[in-house]
Every structure is written in C-alpha cells, then in structure tokens.
Amino acid sequence: MSKIAQQSSTPGIRVIHTQAHASGLQQVPQLVPAGPGGGGKAVPPSKQSKKSSPMDRNSDEYRQRRERNNMAVKKSRLKSKQKAQDTLQRVNQLKEENERLEAKIKLLTKELSVLKDLFLEHAHNLADNVQPTSTENTTATSDSVGQ
C-alpha cells in the first residue's frame, strides 16, 4: 500500500489518500495536521476572513445588515427594560403584601392575647367560686349525727 500526500484547500490541513495495489480496497481520505506544532485547533469565526474584499459601507446590503442589527439591538434593549420594570413591579407588590401580612399578624397576636387573658380570668374566677366541699360536709354531717 502506498501513500500520496496532497494539499487540501483548507490551510493547516493535509489530506493523505491511501491506494491499494491489487486488492481492490476503497480509498479513504485521512486528515492529519499540516504543521509539526500539533495544530488541530479550530479557528474562531471572528478570526476567519469573511470575504476577500471588505464590505462597502455604501452598499445596500451593508445598510440592510446595519438596519437589521440596529433593530435587533433596540428590541433587545426594550425587552431588557421591560423585564426590569416587571421585576420592580413584582418587588413592590410583594412588599405591599408583606406589610399587609405583618399588620394581620400584629392584629391576630393582640386578639390572641386578649382571648388568653379572658380565658385565664374566667378560669381564675371559677376556681375562686368553687368552695371546698369536703370540709363543710364533714362538719355538717357530724353536727346532724350528734343530735
């Protein structure tokens, strides 16, 4: 089997084709780095040359691209501004709800305290009104038994 090296149209890449002698094997291209420094890294799109000639600023295509880009930037900024306004509105709404809930907590705490005091006062009054029956009954029964 022999190898033939050919230059590819892509810079930095060498294509090696294999040839079979008499066995009838299919040729398979293989990509190998062209330089000895390892290479193999993809070139970012910003570094690639887009066209051989720079864009003419007076052309209709350039103006259309700029106009579309300006519209996209404007739309993005409006969307961001709307999102910030929505967030601020939601924050204010939650603050108001929090204040209402805190006021309700204070009111319910006062109500609980009043009811607790009433319950304790009622329970105390019941305890004062109940007389010990065991001492009175024994003296009364002993008097009636002696007669």
PDB file of all heavy atoms in Angstrom, residues 68-84:
ATOM      1  N   ARG A  68     -30.938  45.908  10.220  1.00  0.00           N
ATOM      2  CA  ARG A  68     -31.424  44.725  10.952  1.00  0.00           C
ATOM      3  C   ARG A  68     -30.727  44.595  12.299  1.00  0.00           C
ATOM      4  O   ARG A  68     -31.357  44.280  13.312  1.00  0.00           O
ATOM      5  CB  ARG A  68     -31.204  43.450  10.124  1.00  0.00           C
ATOM      6  CG  ARG A  68     -32.308  43.230   9.097  1.00  0.00           C
ATOM      7  CD  ARG A  68     -32.124  41.914   8.395  1.00  0.00           C
ATOM      8  NE  ARG A  68     -31.054  42.110   7.419  1.00  0.00           N
ATOM      9  CZ  ARG A  68     -30.241  41.166   6.980  1.00  0.00           C
ATOM     10  NH1 ARG A  68     -30.358  39.945   7.410  1.00  0.00           N
ATOM     11  NH2 ARG A  68     -29.301  41.428   6.112  1.00  0.00           N
ATOM     12  N   ASN A  69     -29.428  44.869  12.321  1.00  0.00           N
ATOM     13  CA  ASN A  69     -28.697  44.796  13.586  1.00  0.00           C
ATOM     14  C   ASN A  69     -29.188  45.856  14.558  1.00  0.00           C
ATOM     15  O   ASN A  69     -29.386  45.578  15.744  1.00  0.00           O
ATOM     16  CB  ASN A  69     -27.199  44.976  13.327  1.00  0.00           C
ATOM     17  CG  ASN A  69     -26.402  44.912  14.603  1.00  0.00           C
ATOM     18  OD1 ASN A  69     -26.054  45.944  15.165  1.00  0.00           O
ATOM     19  ND2 ASN A  69     -26.124  43.705  15.080  1.00  0.00           N
ATOM     20  N   ASN A  70     -29.402  47.056  14.080  1.00  0.00           N
ATOM     21  CA  ASN A  70     -29.904  48.134  14.939  1.00  0.00           C
ATOM     22  C   ASN A  70     -31.290  47.800  15.496  1.00  0.00           C
ATOM     23  O   ASN A  70     -31.576  48.073  16.659  1.00  0.00           O
ATOM     24  CB  ASN A  70     -29.936  49.459  14.187  1.00  0.00           C
ATOM     25  CG  ASN A  70     -28.553  49.985  13.885  1.00  0.00           C
ATOM     26  OD1 ASN A  70     -27.574  49.576  14.502  1.00  0.00           O
ATOM     27  ND2 ASN A  70     -28.441  50.895  12.919  1.00  0.00           N
ATOM     28  N   MET A  71     -32.130  47.205  14.672  1.00  0.00           N
ATOM     29  CA  MET A  71     -33.470  46.807  15.125  1.00  0.00           C
ATOM     30  C   MET A  71     -33.359  45.719  16.197  1.00  0.00           C
ATOM     31  O   MET A  71     -34.071  45.751  17.203  1.00  0.00           O
ATOM     32  CB  MET A  71     -34.304  46.290  13.950  1.00  0.00           C
ATOM     33  CG  MET A  71     -34.550  47.322  12.876  1.00  0.00           C
ATOM     34  SD  MET A  71     -35.924  48.395  13.238  1.00  0.00           S
ATOM     35  CE  MET A  71     -37.266  47.333  12.870  1.00  0.00           C
ATOM     36  N   ALA A  72     -32.451  44.777  15.993  1.00  0.00           N
ATOM     37  CA  ALA A  72     -32.273  43.694  16.967  1.00  0.00           C
ATOM     38  C   ALA A  72     -31.753  44.245  18.296  1.00  0.00           C
ATOM     39  O   ALA A  72     -32.215  43.837  19.370  1.00  0.00           O
ATOM     40  CB  ALA A  72     -31.311  42.640  16.416  1.00  0.00           C
ATOM     41  N   VAL A  73     -30.824  45.188  18.236  1.00  0.00           N
ATOM     42  CA  VAL A  73     -30.295  45.792  19.459  1.00  0.00           C
ATOM     43  C   VAL A  73     -31.390  46.560  20.177  1.00  0.00           C
ATOM     44  O   VAL A  73     -31.541  46.455  21.402  1.00  0.00           O
ATOM     45  CB  VAL A  73     -29.091  46.714  19.131  1.00  0.00           C
ATOM     46  CG1 VAL A  73     -28.716  47.573  20.321  1.00  0.00           C
ATOM     47  CG2 VAL A  73     -27.908  45.890  18.681  1.00  0.00           C
ATOM     48  N   LYS A  74     -32.174  47.307  19.432  1.00  0.00           N
ATOM     49  CA  LYS A  74     -33.271  48.079  20.021  1.00  0.00           C
ATOM     50  C   LYS A  74     -34.293  47.144  20.678  1.00  0.00           C
ATOM     51  O   LYS A  74     -34.751  47.394  21.801  1.00  0.00           O
ATOM     52  CB  LYS A  74     -33.944  48.922  18.935  1.00  0.00           C
ATOM     53  CG  LYS A  74     -34.977  49.888  19.440  1.00  0.00           C
ATOM     54  CD  LYS A  74     -35.501  50.754  18.299  1.00  0.00           C
ATOM     55  CE  LYS A  74     -36.485  51.782  18.797  1.00  0.00           C
ATOM     56  NZ  LYS A  74     -36.988  52.634  17.700  1.00  0.00           N
ATOM     57  N   LYS A  75     -34.625  46.064  19.991  1.00  0.00           N
ATOM     58  CA  LYS A  75     -35.580  45.091  20.535  1.00  0.00           C
ATOM     59  C   LYS A  75     -35.038  44.462  21.813  1.00  0.00           C
ATOM     60  O   LYS A  75     -35.764  44.310  22.804  1.00  0.00           O
ATOM     61  CB  LYS A  75     -35.855  44.006  19.489  1.00  0.00           C
ATOM     62  CG  LYS A  75     -36.854  42.968  19.909  1.00  0.00           C
ATOM     63  CD  LYS A  75     -37.066  41.943  18.808  1.00  0.00           C
ATOM     64  CE  LYS A  75     -37.991  40.851  19.254  1.00  0.00           C
ATOM     65  NZ  LYS A  75     -38.147  39.798  18.235  1.00  0.00           N
ATOM     66  N   SER A  76     -33.762  44.124  21.812  1.00  0.00           N
ATOM     67  CA  SER A  76     -33.137  43.519  22.982  1.00  0.00           C
ATOM     68  C   SER A  76     -33.151  44.478  24.164  1.00  0.00           C
ATOM     69  O   SER A  76     -33.437  44.089  25.304  1.00  0.00           O
ATOM     70  CB  SER A  76     -31.706  43.112  22.650  1.00  0.00           C
ATOM     71  OG  SER A  76     -31.053  42.653  23.791  1.00  0.00           O
ATOM     72  N   ARG A  77     -32.837  45.747  23.908  1.00  0.00           N
ATOM     73  CA  ARG A  77     -32.832  46.740  24.982  1.00  0.00           C
ATOM     74  C   ARG A  77     -34.228  46.975  25.538  1.00  0.00           C
ATOM     75  O   ARG A  77     -34.405  47.118  26.752  1.00  0.00           O
ATOM     76  CB  ARG A  77     -32.222  48.054  24.478  1.00  0.00           C
ATOM     77  CG  ARG A  77     -30.731  47.943  24.284  1.00  0.00           C
ATOM     78  CD  ARG A  77     -30.151  49.223  23.750  1.00  0.00           C
ATOM     79  NE  ARG A  77     -28.701  49.074  23.548  1.00  0.00           N
ATOM     80  CZ  ARG A  77     -27.978  49.867  22.793  1.00  0.00           C
ATOM     81  NH1 ARG A  77     -28.536  50.891  22.179  1.00  0.00           N
ATOM     82  NH2 ARG A  77     -26.690  49.657  22.673  1.00  0.00           N
ATOM     83  N   LEU A  78     -35.224  47.021  24.659  1.00  0.00           N
ATOM     84  CA  LEU A  78     -36.603  47.192  25.124  1.00  0.00           C
ATOM     85  C   LEU A  78     -37.045  45.996  25.967  1.00  0.00           C
ATOM     86  O   LEU A  78     -37.714  46.158  27.002  1.00  0.00           O
ATOM     87  CB  LEU A  78     -37.546  47.379  23.935  1.00  0.00           C
ATOM     88  CG  LEU A  78     -37.488  48.743  23.235  1.00  0.00           C
ATOM     89  CD1 LEU A  78     -38.354  48.750  21.981  1.00  0.00           C
ATOM     90  CD2 LEU A  78     -37.931  49.837  24.193  1.00  0.00           C
ATOM     91  N   LYS A  79     -36.663  44.815  25.520  1.00  0.00           N
ATOM     92  CA  LYS A  79     -37.017  43.603  26.269  1.00  0.00           C
ATOM     93  C   LYS A  79     -36.376  43.619  27.644  1.00  0.00           C
ATOM     94  O   LYS A  79     -37.011  43.288  28.653  1.00  0.00           O
ATOM     95  CB  LYS A  79     -36.565  42.371  25.485  1.00  0.00           C
ATOM     96  CG  LYS A  79     -36.975  41.058  26.086  1.00  0.00           C
ATOM     97  CD  LYS A  79     -36.529  39.900  25.211  1.00  0.00           C
ATOM     98  CE  LYS A  79     -36.881  38.572  25.834  1.00  0.00           C
ATOM     99  NZ  LYS A  79     -36.413  37.447  25.018  1.00  0.00           N
ATOM    100  N   SER A  80     -35.117  44.019  27.711  1.00  0.00           N
ATOM    101  CA  SER A  80     -34.409  44.092  28.987  1.00  0.00           C
ATOM    102  C   SER A  80     -35.051  45.136  29.897  1.00  0.00           C
ATOM    103  O   SER A  80     -35.228  44.906  31.104  1.00  0.00           O
ATOM    104  CB  SER A  80     -32.945  44.441  28.735  1.00  0.00           C
ATOM    105  OG  SER A  80     -32.257  44.608  29.934  1.00  0.00           O
ATOM    106  N   LYS A  81     -35.400  46.282  29.338  1.00  0.00           N
ATOM    107  CA  LYS A  81     -36.039  47.344  30.121  1.00  0.00           C
ATOM    108  C   LYS A  81     -37.390  46.883  30.649  1.00  0.00           C
ATOM    109  O   LYS A  81     -37.738  47.127  31.808  1.00  0.00           O
ATOM    110  CB  LYS A  81     -36.203  48.583  29.235  1.00  0.00           C
ATOM    111  CG  LYS A  81     -36.704  49.799  29.959  1.00  0.00           C
ATOM    112  CD  LYS A  81     -36.747  50.998  29.009  1.00  0.00           C
ATOM    113  CE  LYS A  81     -37.250  52.235  29.707  1.00  0.00           C
ATOM    114  NZ  LYS A  81     -37.305  53.391  28.787  1.00  0.00           N
ATOM    115  N   GLN A  82     -38.169  46.196  29.816  1.00  0.00           N
ATOM    116  CA  GLN A  82     -39.481  45.696  30.231  1.00  0.00           C
ATOM    117  C   GLN A  82     -39.331  44.665  31.347  1.00  0.00           C
ATOM    118  O   GLN A  82     -40.094  44.659  32.307  1.00  0.00           O
ATOM    119  CB  GLN A  82     -40.216  45.073  29.030  1.00  0.00           C
ATOM    120  CG  GLN A  82     -41.596  44.562  29.361  1.00  0.00           C
ATOM    121  CD  GLN A  82     -42.541  45.671  29.773  1.00  0.00           C
ATOM    122  OE1 GLN A  82     -42.537  46.749  29.188  1.00  0.00           O
ATOM    123  NE2 GLN A  82     -43.355  45.420  30.784  1.00  0.00           N
ATOM    124  N   LYS A  83     -38.332  43.816  31.231  1.00  0.00           N
ATOM    125  CA  LYS A  83     -38.104  42.805  32.265  1.00  0.00           C
ATOM    126  C   LYS A  83     -37.740  43.465  33.590  1.00  0.00           C
ATOM    127  O   LYS A  83     -38.218  43.046  34.655  1.00  0.00           O
ATOM    128  CB  LYS A  83     -36.985  41.856  31.824  1.00  0.00           C
ATOM    129  CG  LYS A  83     -36.766  40.695  32.754  1.00  0.00           C
ATOM    130  CD  LYS A  83     -35.721  39.742  32.217  1.00  0.00           C
ATOM    131  CE  LYS A  83     -35.500  38.592  33.168  1.00  0.00           C
ATOM    132  NZ  LYS A  83     -34.474  37.663  32.694  1.00  0.00           N
ATOM    133  N   ALA A  84     -36.916  44.511  33.543  1.00  0.00           N
ATOM    134  CA  ALA A  84     -36.541  45.230  34.763  1.00  0.00           C
ATOM    135  C   ALA A  84     -37.768  45.903  35.387  1.00  0.00           C
ATOM    136  O   ALA A  84     -37.940  45.877  36.615  1.00  0.00           O
ATOM    137  CB  ALA A  84     -35.464  46.264  34.449  1.00  0.00           C
TER     138      ALA A  84
END
